[in-house]
Structure formats: structure tokens, C-alpha cells
Amino acid sequence: MAYIGIVITYIFINNFIFTQFLGLCPFIGVSKNSESALGMGMAVTFVMGLASLITWLVYNFLLVPLSLEYLQTLSFILVIAALVQLVELVIQKNSPALYQALGIFLPLITTNCAVLGIALINITQGYNLMESFTAGIAGGLGFTLAIILMSNLREKLDLQPVRKSFKGVPIAFVSGGLMALAFMAFDKALLSNLLG
Amino acid sequence: MANAHLKEFTKGIFKENPTFIIMLGLCPTLGVTTQVVNAIGMGAGVLFVLLFSNIFISLLKNVIPNSVRIPAYIVIIASFVTIVEMVMHAFAPSLYESLGIFLPLIVVNCIILGRAEAFANKNSVFDSILDAIGMSVGFTLALLLIAALREGLGAGTWTLFAIGSFDGVIKIPVLFQYPIRIMTLAAGALLIMGFLKAFFNWKTGRKRG
């Protein structure tokens, strides 16, 4: 039951884009067409899941025993950067098709706030290993949902007459804001109604 | 000569404003601007980290091998972010609480890595210092503008530091009684950012035309 709660929380209630503002750069930058939006979403979900697992292990089996908790930011970002490089190499070697789809997005992910964000959130929320992994995947799925919705909207917007100064990024922000307004319908009350 | 140096400083404030023109570092921009005091705190944090990372990267530009430069930059930046975190935790605990996760996230703020890659590793220490200060001032001004609009419209107040008998909260007459709550929430942040960006597009477009 707790896992369902985590999934719903990170996909809808605490959506990374619409309520927490983590990962906005790719949300605006890579949402021009729906194909690359899907690729970016998948890549982020994959890395967020893996990063949640590994940073949890690093924190609980390395930093806590050595009482080096203050190094968490430094060690997490290094772990994530190394992980992204590793994932890129493995995918490139074993699955050229997947590399074609995700390859160009992987380097961008190191500096995606959402990945470091979920690693830090897992620690502050005190999740165990499986809960961290679930939160990572759910956070990634929430990001994917947001970026796919946005890219479909922007493809439609391209065909509409938009004032010159609003073209491109500004109208994307305004429509993102309206979408966030819709996401406000998902709140803690929804969770307690669903799970009792 | 003096003019060239001055340009490194002022370009970050207007022409290459990191928030409104280059559009980097958007997550903290929208995440922390619910109160004016948070914007000041975030600006100070970014100023410190950007200044020292620019100085160190500029000093080490001939030492760091080209192939591992990005990891090296990240280590330098993360060290200074950790220092900021610890200092703020010790001396401004309430600010530390309200900035929350966005304080460690300065590490992945694209502005800092962007300046390291685009400026500090090619230029002298002095120019890098000017560049860092200019960029941070531009970033802070942008944050202040967004925070003033969001907090002013959304809560009818401007929260600053508490000094002596002044509790740090300025109340705006009419808006305080009838605040537009949505502006302090997530949706308002995105809307305000969109309208501000459109405004700057309109201004630069008119200047050119």
C-alpha cells in the first residue's frame, strides 16, 4: 500500500515539473516535438530509478558509517555523473537501437535537477531502498507525463497564430502554468480518499 | 581597456541576463521565489559559489586535462556548494529551511557550469571575477523581480530580513486584504515567468526594430 501511495504522490500530487520545479530546463528545452520528449522522459526515468538505488546505497553504507553525511551533495553528484557515463557506454555497446533513441539526451541528464533532487528527497524522507527506487521511477514517470503533455501542446501551438513576443518559450511557460493549475486538483485529499 | 572589463561585468546584468535572455537555472528561479528573502538568499548563495568556482577554474585552466574538465568543474562547484550549505545552516537556519532542496541543487544550476565552460576556462582570473559578479547580480535581480511580483500579488507582502523592532514584513495596502493566492503557487510561477519572458522579448524586439 505504501508503494502505491509513493507512486501516486510522485506522479500526480508532487509532480516534479508542476509542483516542485525540478527539471524545468529539459521540460522547456526538449519539448518541441513529442518524439524527443518521449525519449527524454524515458532516459530521465531510467537514470532516476538507478540513481535512487545507488545514492541510497552510497549514503547508507558509505557516508553514514564514516559519519561523512555533509559530503552528500558532493558524492551524489559524482555518483550521478559517473552513472550517466556508464549507462551511456553500456547502452551504446549493447543496444544501438536504444542508444539511437536516448543517446543524445543522456549527457544532458547529469545536470538535470530532477535526478539529484530525487536522491536528496529520498534521504530527507527517510525512505528504505525499495521505497527510494519506487520514488525514483515514479518521479521519472511524472516527468515523462508532463513533458509528453507539453510537447503535444506545443506541436498544436505551432499551428496557431501567437503574438510575436509570445512565440516559443513564453507561450510554453504560460501553457505550462495552466497545466499546473489543472494538476492542483491532485492533492493530499485525493490520496487519502483513494487509499482510505 | 577599462571599457572591455566593464563590459564583462554589465553583460550579465542586461544583455546576457542568465534568467531572462539565456534562460539557464530555471528550477531555483521558480522554486525559491515565493518570498523576497528567499530570492536574496539564493542570489547570495549563487554569488559565492559562482565567484569562487570561476576563480578556481580560471586559475586551474592550464592544469585540468581537457578530457576530464567537466567532472573536475563539478567537484570544484560541489565543494563550494557544500561550504555554502554549512555556513547557511549555521548562521541563517530559517533561510536554510526555506531554501530546502534548492540549496544543494545549486550544484546542477546550469549557470555555474555554463560560465565555467563558456568563460572561466578561457579568460583571466580578473575577467572571470567580473563575469561571476555580473552574472550573479543579473540572476539575483531577476529572482528579486519575480519574487516581488509573486509575493506582492500572491500574499500582499514583501518579506525581508528582520532587523530590531522591524519584523521584516512589508504589507502592501490593497493586495494584503485581497491577495491573488495562485501567484505564490506553482501555476502562478510559470505564468509570471511566461509573461516576463514575453515582455523582455517585446522590449528587445522593439529596440532592434
Side-chain angles (χ1 to χ4, degrees):
Chain A
M1 216 45 157
Y3 292 105
I4 300 176
I6 291 178
V7 170
I8 295 174
T9 304
Y10 285 100
I11 295 185
F12 295 110
I13 300 168
N14 280 346
N15 185 290
F16 265 63
I17 300 287
F18 293 134
T19 59
Q20 312 210 37
F21 302 121
L22 298 174
L24 273 181
C25 303
F27 176 66
I28 297 295
V30 194
S31 62
K32 286 201 187 76
N33 70 70
S34 46
E35 226 167 273
S36 53
L38 182 67
M40 186 71 192
M42 302 294 278
V44 168
T45 311
F46 187 62
V47 173
M48 274 173 83
L50 268 183
S52 301
L53 275 182
I54 295 182
T55 51
W56 192 91
L57 292 172
V58 167
Y59 186 79
N60 285 287
F61 289 110
L62 202 67
L63 297 183
V64 172
L66 299 172
S67 50
L68 289 174
E69 286 94 339
Y70 63 89
L71 283 181
Q72 73 172 33
T73 313
L74 186 64
S75 55
F76 284 5
I77 188 69
L78 283 180
V79 167
I80 290 168
L83 180 74
V84 171
Q85 286 277 303
L86 194 72
V87 167
E88 199 179 347
L89 286 178
V90 170
I91 291 182
Q92 192 174 15
K93 197 160 185 313
N94 294 328
S95 164
L98 192 63
Y99 184 74
Q100 281 255 294
L102 304 184
I104 51 164
F105 303 113
L106 282 170
L108 291 173
I109 289 177
T110 313
T111 53
N112 186 335
C113 313
V115 181
L116 185 59
I118 191 71
L120 295 168
I121 288 172
N122 285 335
I123 303 301
T124 38
Q125 295 283 330
Y127 288 148
N128 66 30
L129 183 61
M130 272 323 283
E131 284 169 346
S132 300
F133 181 65
T134 315
I137 295 285
L141 289 176
F143 176 85
T144 312
L145 175 72
I147 199 170
I148 288 179
L149 285 175
M150 190 64 185
S151 64
N152 281 301
L153 200 70
R154 283 182 81 172
E155 281 179 350
K156 297 265 186 310
L157 275 174
D158 279 346
L159 306 173
Q160 304 298 322
V162 177
R163 281 194 78 91
K164 203 172 125 235
S165 44
F166 269 97
K167 258 202 169 40
V169 176
I171 194 73
F173 267 112
V174 173
S175 20
L178 296 176
M179 248 192 277
L181 211 56
F183 264 74
M184 279 169 63
F186 302 114
D187 58 6
K188 288 272 174 335
L190 173 89
L191 192 64
S192 48
N193 285 341
L194 275 179
L195 302 178
Chain B
M1 197 61 194
N3 266 340
H5 288 307
L6 194 67
K7 227 178 76 198
E8 302 299 357
F9 175 69
T10 55
K11 74 174 189 295
I13 302 176
F14 300 108
K15 220 173 104 220
E16 293 179 27
N17 186 295
T19 305
F20 290 124
I21 311 297
I22 322 183
M23 309 224 64
L24 287 177
L26 292 174
C27 311
T29 307
L30 300 186
V32 304
T33 47
T34 46
Q35 288 196 327
V36 177
V37 63
N38 291 353
I40 299 170
M42 191 69 195
V46 167
L47 171 67
F48 178 85
V49 175
L50 184 55
L51 184 60
F52 281 94
S53 69
N54 253 11
I55 292 174
F56 271 70
I57 287 163
S58 180
L59 282 173
L60 294 172
K61 62 177 178 280
N62 298 325
V63 183
I64 299 172
N66 205 30
S67 52
V68 293
R69 65 181 195 284
I70 302 283
Y73 297 163
I74 290 180
V75 174
I76 293 173
I77 295 167
S79 313
F80 288 112
V81 170
T82 308
I83 295 172
V84 170
E85 257 182 278
M86 291 163 105
V87 169
M88 222 177 249
H89 200 170
F91 295 106
S94 64
L95 190 62
Y96 177 83
E97 288 296 320
S98 54
L99 289 179
I101 191 172
F102 288 101
L103 198 55
L105 282 178
I106 296 177
V107 177
V108 285
N109 191 326
C110 319
I111 297 172
I112 295 171
L113 198 60
R115 290 330 287 170
E117 175 71 10
F119 196 89
N121 71 347
K122 296 189 194 76
N123 291 283
S124 69
V125 177
F126 183 63
D127 279 346
S128 301
I129 292 174
L130 289 177
D131 178 70
I133 297 175
M135 281 288 160
S136 326
V137 170
F139 178 70
T140 312
L141 286 177
L143 282 190
L144 276 177
L145 175 62
I146 300 172
L149 278 174
R150 278 184 74 189
E151 203 195 344
L153 292 171
T157 54
W158 282 327
T159 311
L160 301 165
F161 296 100
I163 305 163
S165 59
F166 174 59
D167 66 350
V169 180
I170 301 170
K171 289 178 180 148
I172 304 164
V174 180
L175 282 167
F176 185 68
Q177 276 92 33
Y178 307 101
I180 312 164
R181 287 260 178 262
I182 191 80
M183 288 306 167
T184 47
L185 301 173
L190 290 162
L191 288 175
I192 288 213
M193 189 64 204
F195 286 121
L196 282 175
K197 175 70 184 158
F199 173 73
F200 280 95
N201 275 357
W202 175 71
K203 273 214 77 129
T204 46
R206 222 172 47 148
K207 211 179 286 169
R208 232 176 271 137

